[in-house]
Coordinates of all heavy atoms in Angstrom, one line a residue:
Chain A
N31 N 46.6 -75.9 -5.8 CA 47.9 -75.5 -6.4 C 48.0 -74.0 -6.5 O 49.1 -73.5 -7.2 CB 48.1 -76.2 -7.8 CG 47.1 -76.1 -8.6 OD1 46.2 -75.2 -8.5 ND2 47.1 -76.7 -9.9
Y32 N 47.1 -73.3 -6.1 CA 47.1 -71.8 -6.3 C 46.6 -71.2 -5.0 O 45.5 -71.5 -4.5 CB 46.2 -71.4 -7.5 CG 46.2 -69.8 -7.7 CD1 47.3 -69.1 -7.9 CD2 45.0 -69.2 -7.5 CE1 47.2 -67.8 -8.0 CE2 44.8 -67.9 -7.7 CZ 45.9 -67.1 -7.9 OH 45.9 -65.7 -8.0
Y36 N 44.4 -62.0 -0.2 CA 43.5 -60.7 -0.6 C 43.5 -59.8 0.7 O 43.4 -60.3 1.8 CB 42.1 -61.0 -1.0 CG 42.0 -61.6 -2.4 CD1 42.1 -63.0 -2.5 CD2 41.8 -60.8 -3.5 CE1 42.1 -63.5 -3.9 CE2 41.6 -61.4 -4.7 CZ 41.8 -62.7 -4.9 OH 41.8 -63.1 -6.2
Q38 N 41.3 -56.6 2.2 CA 40.0 -55.9 2.0 C 39.9 -54.8 3.1 O 39.8 -55.0 4.3 CB 38.8 -56.8 2.2 CG 37.6 -56.3 1.8 CD 36.4 -57.3 1.8 OE1 36.4 -58.3 2.4 NE2 35.4 -57.0 1.0
R43 N 36.5 -53.5 -2.1 CA 36.5 -54.8 -2.6 C 37.8 -55.6 -2.2 O 38.9 -54.9 -1.8 CB 36.6 -54.6 -4.1 CG 38.0 -54.2 -4.6 CD 37.9 -53.8 -6.2 NE 37.3 -52.5 -6.4 CZ 36.9 -52.1 -7.6 NH1 37.0 -52.9 -8.7 NH2 36.4 -50.9 -7.7
P44 N 37.8 -56.9 -2.1 CA 39.0 -57.6 -1.9 C 40.1 -57.3 -3.0 O 39.6 -57.4 -4.2 CB 38.7 -59.1 -1.9 CG 37.1 -59.1 -1.8 CD 36.6 -57.7 -2.4
L46 N 43.8 -58.4 -4.5 CA 45.0 -59.4 -4.5 C 46.2 -58.6 -4.1 O 46.6 -57.6 -4.8 CB 45.1 -60.0 -5.9 CG 46.2 -61.0 -6.0 CD1 45.8 -62.3 -5.2 CD2 46.5 -61.3 -7.5
D49 N 50.3 -63.8 -4.6 CA 49.8 -65.1 -4.7 C 51.0 -66.0 -4.9 O 52.2 -65.6 -5.3 CB 48.8 -65.3 -5.8 CG 49.3 -64.8 -7.1 OD1 50.6 -64.5 -7.4 OD2 48.6 -64.8 -8.1
R51 N 52.1 -70.1 -6.5 CA 51.6 -71.4 -7.0 C 52.4 -72.6 -6.5 O 53.6 -72.3 -6.0 CB 51.7 -71.3 -8.6 CG 50.7 -70.2 -9.1 CD 50.7 -70.0 -10.6 NE 49.9 -68.8 -10.8 CZ 48.5 -68.9 -11.2 NH1 47.9 -70.0 -11.3 NH2 48.0 -67.7 -11.4
F89 N 42.5 -62.0 3.8 CA 42.0 -63.4 3.6 C 42.9 -64.2 2.7 O 43.6 -63.8 1.6 CB 40.6 -63.3 2.7 CG 39.5 -62.7 3.5 CD1 39.2 -61.5 3.1 CD2 38.8 -63.5 4.3 CE1 38.1 -60.8 3.7 CE2 37.7 -62.9 5.0 CZ 37.3 -61.6 4.6
D94 N 42.3 -75.6 -6.7 CA 42.9 -76.3 -7.8 C 42.5 -75.6 -9.1 O 41.3 -75.4 -9.4 CB 42.4 -77.8 -7.7 CG 42.7 -78.5 -9.1 OD1 43.8 -78.3 -9.6 OD2 41.9 -79.4 -9.4
T95 N 43.4 -75.1 -9.7 CA 43.1 -74.4 -10.9 C 42.7 -75.3 -12.1 O 43.1 -76.4 -12.1 CB 44.4 -73.6 -11.5 OG1 45.5 -74.5 -11.7 CG2 44.8 -72.5 -10.5
G96 N 41.8 -74.8 -12.9 CA 41.3 -75.6 -14.0 C 40.6 -74.7 -15.0 O 41.0 -73.7 -15.2
T97 N 39.4 -75.0 -15.4 CA 38.7 -74.2 -16.2 C 38.2 -73.0 -15.6 O 38.3 -71.9 -16.1 CB 37.4 -75.0 -16.8 OG1 37.9 -76.1 -17.4 CG2 36.7 -74.0 -17.7
A98 N 37.8 -73.1 -14.4 CA 37.5 -71.9 -13.5 C 38.0 -72.1 -12.2 O 38.0 -73.3 -11.7 CB 36.0 -71.7 -13.5
S99 N 38.3 -71.1 -11.5 CA 38.9 -71.2 -10.2 C 37.8 -71.1 -9.2 O 37.1 -70.1 -9.0 CB 39.9 -70.0 -10.0 OG 40.3 -69.9 -8.7
K100 N 37.7 -72.2 -8.3 CA 36.8 -72.3 -7.2 C 37.5 -72.0 -5.9 O 37.9 -72.9 -5.2 CB 36.0 -73.6 -7.1 CG 35.0 -73.7 -6.2 CD 34.3 -75.1 -6.2 CE 33.3 -75.2 -5.0 NZ 32.6 -76.4 -5.0
L101 N 37.8 -70.7 -5.6 CA 38.6 -70.3 -4.6 C 37.8 -70.6 -3.2 O 36.5 -70.2 -3.1 CB 38.8 -68.8 -4.5 CG 40.0 -68.3 -5.3 CD1 40.1 -66.8 -5.2 CD2 41.3 -69.0 -4.8
F103 N 38.0 -69.5 0.6 CA 38.7 -68.5 1.4 C 38.7 -69.0 2.9 O 37.9 -69.7 3.4 CB 37.9 -67.2 1.4 CG 37.9 -66.4 0.2 CD1 37.1 -66.7 -0.9 CD2 38.9 -65.3 0.0 CE1 37.1 -66.0 -2.1 CE2 38.9 -64.6 -1.0 CZ 38.1 -64.9 -2.2
G104 N 39.9 -68.5 3.6 CA 39.9 -68.6 4.9 C 38.9 -67.6 5.7 O 38.4 -66.8 4.9
Chain B
Y33 N 32.3 -64.6 -11.9 CA 31.8 -65.2 -10.7 C 30.8 -64.2 -9.9 O 31.0 -63.0 -10.1 CB 33.1 -65.4 -9.8 CG 34.2 -66.1 -10.4 CD1 35.1 -65.4 -11.2 CD2 34.4 -67.4 -9.9 CE1 36.1 -66.2 -11.9 CE2 35.6 -68.0 -10.5 CZ 36.3 -67.4 -11.4 OH 37.5 -68.0 -11.9
Y35 N 29.9 -63.7 -5.9 CA 30.2 -64.1 -4.6 C 29.2 -63.2 -3.6 O 28.8 -62.1 -4.0 CB 31.6 -63.6 -4.1 CG 32.7 -64.6 -4.5 CD1 33.3 -64.6 -5.8 CD2 33.1 -65.6 -3.6 CE1 34.2 -65.4 -6.2 CE2 34.1 -66.5 -4.1 CZ 34.7 -66.4 -5.3 OH 35.7 -67.2 -5.7
Q37 N 29.0 -61.7 0.3 CA 29.8 -61.5 1.5 C 28.9 -60.8 2.6 O 28.4 -59.7 2.3 CB 31.0 -60.7 1.1 CG 32.0 -60.5 2.4 CD 33.2 -59.7 2.0 OE1 33.2 -58.9 1.2 NE2 34.4 -60.2 2.7
P42 N 34.2 -64.0 5.2 CA 34.8 -64.1 3.8 C 33.9 -64.2 2.7 O 32.6 -64.6 2.9 CB 35.7 -65.4 3.8 CG 34.9 -66.3 4.9 CD 34.3 -65.3 5.9
P43 N 34.3 -64.0 1.5 CA 33.2 -64.0 0.4 C 32.9 -65.5 0.1 O 33.8 -66.4 0.3 CB 34.1 -63.6 -0.9 CG 35.2 -62.7 -0.2 CD 35.5 -63.3 1.0
L45 N 31.3 -68.3 -2.5 CA 31.0 -68.4 -4.0 C 29.5 -68.9 -4.2 O 29.1 -69.7 -3.4 CB 32.0 -69.5 -4.5 CG 31.8 -69.8 -6.0 CD1 32.2 -68.6 -6.8 CD2 32.7 -71.0 -6.4
V48 N 29.7 -69.7 -10.9 CA 30.8 -69.5 -11.8 C 30.4 -69.7 -13.2 O 29.7 -70.8 -13.5 CB 32.0 -70.4 -11.5 CG1 33.1 -70.1 -12.4 CG2 32.5 -70.3 -10.1
S50 N 32.0 -70.2 -16.9 CA 33.2 -70.3 -17.7 C 32.9 -70.4 -19.1 O 32.1 -71.3 -19.6 CB 33.9 -71.6 -17.2 OG 35.1 -71.8 -18.0
E58 N 26.7 -73.2 -6.4 CA 26.8 -73.7 -5.0 C 25.6 -73.8 -4.3 O 25.4 -73.3 -3.2 CB 27.9 -72.8 -4.4 CG 29.3 -72.8 -4.9 CD 30.0 -74.1 -4.6 OE1 30.6 -74.2 -3.6 OE2 29.9 -75.0 -5.4
P96 N 40.6 -68.3 -17.4 CA 40.7 -69.7 -17.0 C 42.2 -70.3 -17.6 O 42.6 -69.6 -18.4 CB 39.6 -70.4 -17.7 CG 38.6 -69.4 -18.1 CD 39.5 -68.1 -18.3
G97 N 42.6 -71.4 -17.1 CA 43.8 -72.0 -17.7 C 44.8 -72.4 -16.6 O 44.4 -72.3 -15.4
R98 N 45.8 -72.8 -17.0 CA 46.8 -73.3 -16.1 C 48.2 -72.5 -16.2 O 49.1 -72.8 -15.5 CB 47.1 -74.7 -16.2 CG 45.9 -75.6 -15.8 CD 46.3 -77.1 -15.7 NE 45.1 -77.9 -15.4 CZ 44.8 -78.1 -14.0 NH1 45.5 -77.6 -13.0 NH2 43.7 -78.8 -13.8
G101 N 49.4 -66.4 -14.2 CA 48.5 -65.4 -14.5 C 47.1 -65.8 -14.6 O 46.0 -65.1 -14.5
A102 N 46.8 -67.1 -14.8 CA 45.5 -67.7 -15.0 C 44.9 -67.7 -13.6 O 45.6 -67.9 -12.6 CB 45.6 -69.0 -15.6
N103 N 43.5 -67.7 -13.6 CA 42.8 -67.8 -12.4 C 43.0 -66.7 -11.3 O 42.6 -66.9 -10.2 CB 43.0 -69.3 -11.8 CG 42.6 -70.3 -12.7 OD1 41.4 -70.4 -13.1 ND2 43.5 -71.0 -13.2
V104 N 43.6 -65.6 -11.7 CA 43.8 -64.5 -10.8 C 42.5 -63.7 -10.8 O 42.2 -63.1 -11.8 CB 45.0 -63.7 -11.2 CG1 45.1 -62.5 -10.2 CG2 46.2 -64.5 -11.1
L105 N 41.7 -63.8 -9.7 CA 40.5 -63.1 -9.7 C 40.6 -61.6 -9.4 O 41.4 -61.0 -8.6 CB 39.6 -63.6 -8.5 CG 38.6 -64.7 -8.9 CD1 39.2 -65.9 -9.4 CD2 37.6 -65.0 -7.6
F107 N 38.1 -58.5 -8.5 CA 36.8 -58.2 -7.9 C 36.3 -56.9 -8.4 O 37.0 -55.9 -8.5 CB 36.8 -58.3 -6.5 CG 36.9 -59.6 -5.9 CD1 38.1 -60.4 -5.6 CD2 35.7 -60.5 -5.7 CE1 38.1 -61.6 -5.1 CE2 35.7 -61.7 -5.1 CZ 37.0 -62.3 -4.8
G108 N 35.0 -56.7 -8.6 CA 34.3 -55.5 -8.6 C 34.1 -55.0 -7.2 O 34.5 -55.5 -6.2
A109 N 33.7 -53.6 -7.1 CA 33.5 -53.0 -5.9 C 32.3 -53.5 -5.0 O 32.2 -53.2 -3.9 CB 33.4 -51.5 -6.1

Side-chain angles (χ1 to χ4, degrees):
Chain A
N31 56 8
Y32 174 60
Y36 286 86
Q38 189 173 27
R43 75 189 78 191
L46 180 73
D49 58 9
R51 296 180 191 266
F89 292 103
D94 168 31
T95 56
T97 305
S99 173
K100 186 178 173 180
L101 273 181
F103 284 85
Chain B
Y33 310 75
Y35 281 85
Q37 188 176 27
L45 183 64
V48 181
S50 181
E58 291 290 272
R98 295 190 179 272
N103 298 296
V104 177
L105 261 65
F107 282 92

